[in-house]
Amino acid sequence: MSPIIEAKGVSYRSNGRALVQEIDLAIAQGSFTIVVGPNGAGKSTLMRLLCGELTPSNGAVLLRDQPLTSIPAWRLAHARAVMPQASELSFPFTAFEVASLGVEGLGRGLSRSERQRLTLHALDRADVAHLASRNYQTLSGGERQRVHFARVLAQLAAGRTVEDRQILFLDEPIASLDLKHQLALLETARDLTQDGLTVVAVLHDLQLAAGIGDGVVLMNQGRLVARGAPHTVLTPSRLAEVFGVAVNAGQLPPVPWRLVQAEL
């Protein structure tokens, strides 16, 4: 099966500095890929290149074998959703109104009531349905992050009426969440891959990456160091080389994701 998204020789420079260098990466449809690496490794830049927010200085990103730069914005909005590290919003919207931004102008044949239903379902999946009428500005950082997760879930649901092969990009989505909601968000994303959704996420927690990812992409200094199954990428010798810390083989077990949840 051809990859749903592929980076071919992708580099990105800003102010004379190479942030991403010569990345070749193919991601299969329905997979959950985790991007890890130290601060400044180029993880978020790679994510922004893959989702089309940035244009490569060299190379190309292909979505279903088509250059990302040639895909109209309306179609791209149906094919992929992006949840950044943080989203600033200064308007006095309710949580429901913020989540409903995901369905505005998207989809085919959706009535107003159907769009509202998709939004409410997304809020429920993100565990913020009880906050629907709250002013977004009064929410905690973690609650706001979950509302934005609902927004991308609603966008994907609306977009599915046009594009059935979709990608969800998550850039450090659990940084402001408590443990319960960290696991819940990642589990929801994982469940969506069972329906064919492709997920690409940047995470700092290596144990979570080892437990939930089908594959791990390890970056350092803008380059792809290794990619593959978690147990083949997150080895003690490679972690010592990239992160500069000694890790014993028993300190980073590839914990099965379902087992982690069960123990909690």
Side-chain angles (χ1 to χ4, degrees), residues 206-223:
L206 297 182
Q207 191 167 29
L208 284 180
I212 195 174
D214 297 316
V216 171
V217 173
L218 178 61
M219 294 189 65
N220 191 30
Q221 297 180 349
R223 295 187 179 275

Side-chain angles (χ1 to χ4, degrees), residues 82-146:
V82 184
M83 182 176 168
Q85 295 181 36
S87 301
E88 297 298 327
L89 185 65
S90 58
F91 299 103
F93 289 169
T94 64
F96 176 85
E97 289 171 329
V98 173
S100 68
L101 293 174
V103 301
E104 291 300 326
L106 268 73
R108 178 182 294 138
L110 293 174
S111 65
R112 175 53 54 186
S113 63
E114 287 172 324
R115 294 179 189 278
Q116 291 176 343
R117 178 182 56 79
L118 293 178
T119 302
L120 288 171
H121 181 64
L123 287 165
D124 185 56
R125 294 201 74 171
D127 195 25
V128 282
H130 61 292
L131 302 174
S133 62
R134 282 271 303 274
N135 186 323
Y136 175 83
Q137 301 297 331
T138 68
L139 302 180
S140 70
E143 290 169 336
R144 293 183 185 189
Q145 192 75 337
R146 283 150 53 202

Side-chain angles (χ1 to χ4, degrees), residues 185-200:
L185 186 151
L186 293 175
E187 181 67 12
T188 298
R190 179 70 188 180
D191 286 346
L192 290 170
T193 64
Q194 305 307 308
D195 297 325
L197 179 72
T198 304
V199 179
V200 182

Side-chain angles (χ1 to χ4, degrees), residues 10-93:
V10 167
S11 298
Y12 183 77
R13 302 184 66 85
S14 178
N15 297 322
R17 180 170 171 245
L19 302 182
V20 165
Q21 304 181 64
E22 300 175 359
I23 298 289
D24 289 304
L25 178 65
I27 296 174
Q29 181 181 349
S31 64
F32 197 131
T33 300
I34 310 292
V35 184
V36 300
N39 292 337
K43 304 182 297 295
S44 293
T45 301
L46 174 62
M47 180 81 73
R48 294 171 69 189
L49 289 163
L50 290 176
C51 74
E53 184 179 339
L54 296 177
T55 301
S57 302
N58 296 101
V61 176
L62 307 181
L63 178 64
R64 297 193 296 270
D65 297 322
Q66 183 176 353
L68 207 60
T69 52
S70 69
I71 300 175
W74 68 267
R75 183 180 157 206
L76 198 57
H78 288 83
R80 64 97 175 94
V82 184
M83 182 176 168
Q85 295 181 36
S87 301
E88 297 298 327
L89 185 65
S90 58
F91 299 103
F93 289 169

